[in-house]
Amino acid sequence: MTGTGHASMRIDTPAGSILCDPWVNPAYFASWFPFPDNSQLDWEALGDVDYLYVSHLHRDHFDAEHLKRFINKRATVLLPEYPTSQLEDELRELGFTSFIRTRSNEVHTLDGGLNVMIQALISPTDGPIGDSSLWVEYDGVRVLNQNDARPSDLSVFAELGHVHAHMLQFSGAIWYPMVYELPEAAKRAFGKQKRDRQLDRTIRYIDDLKASYVFPIAGPPCFLDDELWQFNDIFGDEGNIFPDQQWFSDRYRELGRDNEVILLPGTVAEVTADDCKVSHPVPDVREFFANKKPYLEAMRERKRPIIEAEKASWRHPEIDVLAEMKRRIEPLLEESIYMAKGVGGPVRFDLVSYDGESVESIVVDFLGKEVRPYTDEKVRYRFRTQRELVEHLIYLDEGDWVNSLFLSCRFSAARIGQYNEFIYAFFKCLSEERLQYAEGWYDEHEKTTDAEDITLGDWVVQRRCPHLKADLTRFGKVEDGVLTCQLHGWKFDLDSGKCLTSVGHAVRARPADQPAADA
């Protein structure tokens, strides 16, 4: 395996080569860059592969410009089984013509005895309508590239035999809590909670699979725009959610473990059934990370022209944002039942003018089914961003504002009350195909009852988490009457069953010494 940056790697076997998730160009309004810099790798050679695997459409995994320029179009695409055709459609537009449409959790044998299996996750909250993991086996050596997917159960991979290399996410990849309008002390405390939860989840996955070697990948990105520089973990802030690979390695060793392997861009790891030989492109990995700040400062200067060129392309003053949002969003609001009910009211967007002086406020009213000017009413959810960013989304006809504006971290947010997943699910689904799929998914899961109960400590609770059906026998933890699902960190008050993390999603629970209601 050759590290090619972030969640990307090239897997070479005598039966063929697979390039996974190549990402080089900045993503999300030029806010995210791969760290370390992978732009100087020999991509002409790395892109000459037999197979291409793109796990999902997040732009730090799907880099259209790079795929078009550098990746061999004769490569056969290993396609996850997603409910929409968007990933295949976009790859075809880039020139790829050969596809193997895999079936989720089914092993496919390729030429030369190379075996692959892709597990597709398909809830509206998994990536942009989908995320996936790739299992590869050749001559008894098995690799699982989990990247940043969050499956509720790894047993389907373990049942295929002992895994020798397990690649998985350990660092943050979201905008929370940095963008929220909170006191710095509160923001730092929430960030520390998230950082700790990320590590706990990673360790849980590692313990479930018990692979010979663990590869921390899929993060962190780096932030090279001056406006976002503070998001880099170079200031000793324990609330920063973007720790790097060396931080993970140090925490991992504090737990008494030593089977981790860091994949820098250019690192080569030769994995066999009995060993893992590693060659790095730098003489001392720890020293490389110790010099992270000057490395990022030099990288910032190299990339500054790229950032400035992107910024110059965002403004489209000819676009009437209110009119265009009405035209595009109101028909989707009319068709939305579950997501509209889940949001439960108006969401306000404050658009700051080019000069930073004036603000246009627009309301997306999920119950009123309209987009309109803000009129001083009370709203529970508010976003504030630069006007040109929304102009650019409209100009591009962007169907996923989460996989663009929100992941850029180029906004601030405020809310009254709990996190609301339905807001972000809706703004991932600004197309007829995505909206209909998401509404159908929520409809199906709304009608599904989970009858099986388990005992956790002094409580009997339903086995599956109400959020995304994670198995609470594996991910559930009870403390002081609060159930935490460690897969996504969601919390539930067991006395009332109320979800403490988001709107809806009540849990069924009772004290273990109390008989069931129907007993």
Side-chain angles (χ1 to χ4, degrees), residues 455 457-460 510-516:
T455 299
D458 297 329
W459 290 87
V460 175
R510 61 178 169 82
D513 58 4
Q514 176 181 310

Side-chain angles (χ1 to χ4, degrees), residues 291-341:
N291 293 314
K292 180 177 177 180
K293 186 174 181 180
Y295 178 91
L296 287 178
E297 289 172 341
M299 188 176 172
R300 174 171 59 175
E301 292 308 309
R302 291 199 307 274
K303 305 296 185 181
R304 192 180 297 277
I306 296 173
I307 296 172
E308 295 306 315
E310 286 227 18
K311 285 185 173 182
S313 72
W314 297 342
R315 292 184 180 182
H316 303 279
E318 72 281 4
I319 290 177
D320 183 333
V321 172
L322 174 61
E324 287 301 314
M325 287 180 66
K326 284 178 68 69
R327 181 184 67 81
R328 183 166 187 190
I329 295 176
E330 284 187 350
L332 300 174
L333 291 173
E334 286 292 339
E335 297 179 23
S336 177
I337 299 172
Y338 287 95
M339 286 188 286
K341 180 182 176 183

Side-chain angles (χ1 to χ4, degrees), residues 49 70-71 86 89 112 161 168 201 252 259 286 297 306 311 313 343 372 379 407 468 482 484:
V49 290
F70 286 106
I71 311 308
Q86 186 175 356
D89 294 343
L168 76 168
R201 181 175 61 239
Y252 194 64
N259 64 330
R286 180 174 291 278
E297 289 172 341
I306 296 173
K311 285 185 173 182
S313 72
V343 176
R372 52 181 167 76
V379 298
L407 279 171
L468 288 177
V482 174
T484 301

Side-chain angles (χ1 to χ4, degrees), residues 2-199:
T2 302
T4 49
H6 198 62
S8 178
M9 71 202 70
R10 174 170 161 148
I11 302 171
D12 283 278
T13 77
S17 53
I18 307 172
L19 183 63
C20 307
D21 287 343
W23 170 47
V24 174
N25 296 291
Y28 314 127
F29 284 106
S31 60
W32 288 34
F33 285 78
F35 170 78
D37 188 4
N38 60 355
S39 62
Q40 297 172 349
L41 294 176
D42 184 356
W43 281 107
E44 294 285 357
L46 290 168
D48 186 15
V49 290
D50 300 299
Y51 301 98
L52 170 68
Y53 166 68
V54 177
S55 61
H56 61 299
L57 277 166
H58 272 155
R59 302 309 181 192
D60 56 319
H61 298 257
F62 179 88
D63 182 345
E65 180 182 343
H66 189 72
L67 289 167
K68 184 174 183 178
R69 181 177 176 186
F70 286 106
I71 311 308
N72 172 20
K73 300 306 177 293
R74 296 185 302 278
T76 297
V77 177
L78 304 175
L79 198 66
E81 187 182 19
Y82 284 147
T84 72
S85 63
Q86 186 175 356
L87 177 57
E88 179 178 350
D89 294 343
E90 294 206 24
L91 287 167
R92 286 190 180 279
E93 286 185 13
L94 296 176
F96 294 95
T97 59
S98 176
F99 293 83
I100 295 176
R101 296 179 183 85
T102 65
R103 295 185 65 84
S104 189
N105 294 332
E106 181 177 304
V107 176
H108 297 258
T109 299
L110 310 179
D111 292 343
L114 182 63
N115 294 307
V116 300
M117 182 176 77
I118 297 176
Q119 181 184 76
L121 306 179
I122 58 172
S123 91
T125 55
D126 285 314
I129 312 296
D131 206 341
S132 66
S133 302
L134 171 69
W135 174 92
V136 180
E137 186 270 339
Y138 177 78
D139 196 23
V141 179
R142 302 174 193 89
V143 169
L144 175 61
N145 174 12
Q146 187 180 332
N147 63 84
D148 55 8
R150 297 185 189 176
S152 61
D153 191 353
L154 295 182
S155 62
V156 65
F157 302 109
E159 289 167 359
L160 296 172
H162 178 72
V163 173
H164 300 92
H166 183 190
M167 290 82 81
L168 76 168
Q169 185 186 49
F170 67 97
S171 190
I174 201 168
W175 53 87
Y176 173 86
M178 305 88 66
V179 303
Y180 277 88
E181 297 169 10
L182 295 167
E184 286 302 316
K187 199 180 296 187
R188 188 174 300 110
F190 289 137
K192 185 179 186 307
Q193 289 175 7
K194 181 162 182 59
R195 184 164 167 146
D196 292 343
R197 192 166 66 239
Q198 290 166 178
L199 179 62

Side-chain angles (χ1 to χ4, degrees), residues 245-263:
Q245 296 92 322
Q246 188 61 56
W247 176 90
F248 172 83
S249 177
D250 291 343
R251 302 293 83 72
Y252 194 64
R253 297 213 166 207
E254 288 171 3
L255 297 173
R257 307 163 187 233
D258 62 359
N259 64 330
E260 83 285 4
V261 179
I262 293 176
L263 273 185

Side-chain angles (χ1 to χ4, degrees), residues 271-292:
V271 179
T272 68
D274 304 309
D275 196 10
C276 178
K277 297 178 181 177
V278 182
S279 172
H280 290 297
V282 297
D284 188 316
V285 172
R286 180 174 291 278
E287 183 180 354
F288 171 82
F289 283 101
N291 293 314
K292 180 177 177 180

